[in-house]
Amino acid sequence: MLVMHFLVVLVLVVNTVITEDLHGQYEIEVWKKEDQPLWDQLSSLQKEVESLKYEQAILKQKQEVMHQMLTVDENVTLLTEGSGPLLFSPPPLWSGEEDEADNHPLNNSRPFYDPCYRYKILDQAWRATNFTTKNVQCDRQRQWQGWYRLYYRRRSIQMPEKCIKANRCGTHAPLWLTQPHPKIRDGIVFRRVCGHWRNKCCAFKSPPIQVKACRGNYYVYRFVKPPACHLAYCADVNTLVCGRCGRNQYCKSRDKITYRCANKRRRKIKKQAVHFFASYPGLLNGKVNRIKFSRVLVNEGRAFNRQTGVFRAPVSGVYQFYFSSQTGGNVPATNLWLVINGYWVTVSHSAVKGPSSIGSLSTYMTTLRKGSEVYVTHVAGQSWANSASNTITFGGSLLVQRKLE
Ligand SMILES: *[C@@H]1O[C@H](CO)[C@@H](O)[C@H](O)[C@H]1NC(C)=O
Ligand SMILES: *[C@@H]1O[C@H](CO)[C@@H](O)[C@H](O)[C@H]1NC(C)=O
Ligand SMILES: *[C@@H]1O[C@H](CO)[C@@H](O)[C@H](O)[C@H]1NC(C)=O
């Protein structure tokens, strides 16, 4: 604690030295003389503090812009009710120098602004799919410019993806999307638009419009003039629920009539833990096709079968195995093999003369497919163990999970 205080005081002192008198050679030299590394440390610390301050200022600016954006949003939507589309004035973050008409993603000569953050709000209750009126509207008479986000009474809404009855949406022939809305990863896409009239869902083939899906479960549309009057773009009241979907949700509909918020599926790789360790608690003599390691100490992932002595890889990946034995007595040689999918892959060999005994441990690492079978066989010789010794053992671990074809 004392050291901390000392450092803080030092920083303050150095601070004043720098800010008050940049050419204060004398004082700086004093510091230099006394403790060069400390001085270096402090000046880098100060630089860091400065950059942090700068970052903080930028963040604050951004926050203010966001706040402004939200308030502007509210006021505009309040005013637009029933009137023509009003401009959603861009906050000062985007200096507003560029001409919207030229602001096309294909034109690289101008900066391109993400329409998800730069759109006009179209909040006109008469566009609702359940709205009928004698005072019909025509979108051909509007000057469309740039991108639009649809609202219904201040609530985010989408265009219908289903044919809408004629004389709805405050017009004669309601305009609807014949193709589904894009996903966020699709970016900006073109979508065909049809106008329903006299029992023909596509009596009017309107020019395609551009659509983009945005984070926050909303869409922006680049509307264009439809071919005739009275045609108007629709706002589907059934999609109002989508605006209420949470961060980890998406708006779901099978029939394009009822919409609901559904949770996004988490694409998490299930991390498998696979470890086993078993021993054989007795003597092995001569040929034993498969050692049934009956004393199982660890079987994480339950991939080792104590009845058969076989380990079966539950997932594909890199595995490490080891097996051991203790051999002795007057036998020529003792051989144990590790068998993987029928192949004998590595041997533990020992040969001792006389009454001595020797322990042997072998290891093997390999990539296995899911379902591979591994066991240990005792081919010849003699291995010794009792219930407490754990000298004849077999174990293994999954090191890394891998996707294999
Ligand atoms: C929004 O409108 C309210 C009420 O008219 C007004 O007090 C407020 O200053 C406006 N906000 C902005 C950002 O224009
Ligand atoms: C791109 O913008 C420039 C400058 O406004 C304009 O002259 C040009 O025609 C545009 N090109 C396309 C493909 O829109
Ligand atoms: C249209 O639907 C909205 C949302 O469900 C509802 O609030 C409104 O009253 C309906 N309007 C008519 C004319 O049915």
Side-chain angles (χ1 to χ4, degrees):
M1 219 38 228
L2 208 67
V3 177
M4 283 290 288
H5 275 293
F6 178 64
L7 270 176
V8 168
V9 169
L10 272 187
V11 170
L12 285 178
V13 171
V14 173
N15 238 331
T16 44
V17 167
I18 287 180
T19 48
E20 282 178 5
D21 186 5
L22 265 171
H23 306 286
Q25 295 287 336
Y26 174 71
E27 279 148 300
I28 288 170
E29 263 165 30
V30 167
W31 285 109
K32 271 184 181 167
K33 263 184 212 151
E34 276 189 3
D35 199 339
Q36 176 78 46
L38 184 63
W39 163 255
D40 280 351
Q41 276 177 25
L42 288 173
S43 65
S44 80
L45 197 72
Q46 206 211 351
K47 264 183 210 157
E48 221 167 288
V49 168
E50 295 274 307
S51 88
L52 274 176
K53 266 189 203 161
Y54 178 73
E55 265 172 45
Q56 203 178 18
I58 294 279
L59 271 176
K60 206 173 169 188
Q61 245 176 7
K62 277 190 189 166
Q63 204 176 14
E64 271 166 16
V65 165
M66 290 297 288
H67 180 74
Q68 221 168 340
M69 215 161 95
L70 287 176
T71 19
V72 169
D73 198 327
E74 269 175 27
N75 280 13
V76 171
T77 47
L78 269 175
L79 291 166
T80 44
E81 188 64 45
S83 64
L86 279 187
L87 283 185
F88 163 53
S89 358
L93 189 66
W94 303 286
S95 47
E97 280 164 12
E98 88 290 0
D99 181 6
E100 285 260 11
D102 284 342
N103 187 10
H104 192 276
L106 300 175
N107 195 336
N108 289 326
S109 63
R110 300 250 177 176
F112 171 63
Y113 296 95
D114 187 346
C116 283
Y117 304 110
R118 192 182 168 83
Y119 51 78
K120 295 162 196 136
I121 286 166
L122 208 52
D123 187 344
Q124 295 161 320
W126 57 262
R127 288 191 185 275
T129 44
N130 64 355
F131 190 92
T132 50
T133 177
K134 278 185 185 148
N135 185 18
V136 287
Q137 304 270 347
C138 182
D139 275 346
R140 189 171 170 75
Q141 288 159 354
R142 281 166 214 283
Q143 293 304 320
W144 299 103
Q145 207 183 47
W147 290 81
Y148 296 85
R149 178 173 172 184
L150 288 171
Y151 274 77
Y152 175 81
R153 299 190 191 281
R154 305 181 67 184
R155 287 161 67 192
S156 192
I157 196 170
Q158 306 171 12
M159 273 190 77
E161 291 178 12
K162 238 190 154 72
C163 183
I164 302 299
K165 278 186 191 167
N167 296 310
R168 296 289 178 95
C169 307
T171 192
H172 283 143
L175 291 171
W176 58 283
L177 291 181
T178 67
Q179 299 161 289
H181 281 80
K183 303 226 167 3
I184 285 178
R185 62 169 178 270
D186 298 332
I188 296 170
V189 296
F190 278 97
R191 286 292 181 258
R192 283 195 289 272
V193 178
C194 275
H196 177 205
W197 187 241
R198 293 211 169 130
N199 295 325
K200 276 191 195 146
C201 279
C202 206
F204 292 95
K205 277 205 175 78
S206 202
I209 58 166
Q210 283 170 287
V211 186
K212 188 177 191 240
C214 301
R215 279 184 206 291
N217 289 302
Y218 68 92
Y219 298 91
V220 286
Y221 307 90
R222 198 175 169 106
F223 292 131
V224 295
K225 275 189 186 185
C229 279
H230 291 78
L231 276 71
Y233 292 105
C234 276
D236 189 349
V237 288
N238 293 323
T239 66
L240 279 171
V241 64
C242 301
R244 273 186 253 132
C245 296
R247 245 170 169 241
N248 295 314
Q249 291 185 313
Y250 68 102
C251 208
K252 191 176 176 178
S253 175
R254 284 200 181 166
D255 52 10
K256 308 292 181 192
I257 297 169
T258 36
Y259 287 79
R260 68 181 182 88
C261 298
N263 291 330
K264 279 184 192 163
R265 242 185 258 161
R266 275 188 211 158
R267 280 202 198 167
K268 229 180 176 179
I269 297 176
K270 246 196 192 171
K271 273 196 183 159
Q272 288 256 16
V274 182
H275 306 280
F276 76 100
F277 181 60
S279 76
Y280 185 84
L283 288 170
L284 290 173
N285 253 313
K287 192 170 159 65
V288 178
N289 278 339
R290 195 166 56 220
I291 304 172
K292 287 169 187 158
F293 295 89
S294 54
R295 192 161 176 251
V296 178
L297 290 104
V298 172
N299 197 4
E300 187 85 33
R302 303 190 161 276
F304 182 74
N305 186 329
R306 81 171 67 212
Q307 260 81 47
T308 61
V310 174
F311 169 83
R312 177 188 265 269
V315 293
S316 299
V318 179
Y319 288 85
Q320 182 172 37
F321 299 98
Y322 48 91
F323 59 105
S324 71
S325 73
Q326 177 87 17
T327 187
N330 266 315
V331 286
T334 299
N335 289 335
L336 284 82
W337 281 85
L338 182 75
V339 184
I340 298 180
N341 292 331
Y343 293 95
W344 295 25
V345 295
T346 189
V347 67
S348 150
H349 169 84
S350 45
V352 278
K353 293 261 155 63
S356 47
S357 110
I358 190 168
S360 163
L361 173 71
S362 292
T363 65
Y364 193 71
M365 198 189 287
T366 186
T367 304
L368 293 183
R369 279 172 211 287
K370 181 180 173 177
S372 297
E373 291 192 339
V374 185
Y375 62 87
V376 177
T377 174
H378 193 271
V379 181
Q382 189 173 291
S383 294
W384 172 87
N386 65 20
S387 60
S389 66
N390 293 323
T391 42
I392 305 172
T393 63
F394 177 32
S397 288
L398 168 67
L399 303 181
V400 201
Q401 205 169 330
R402 282 277 151 76
K403 271 196 176 175
L404 296 177
E405 288 303 303

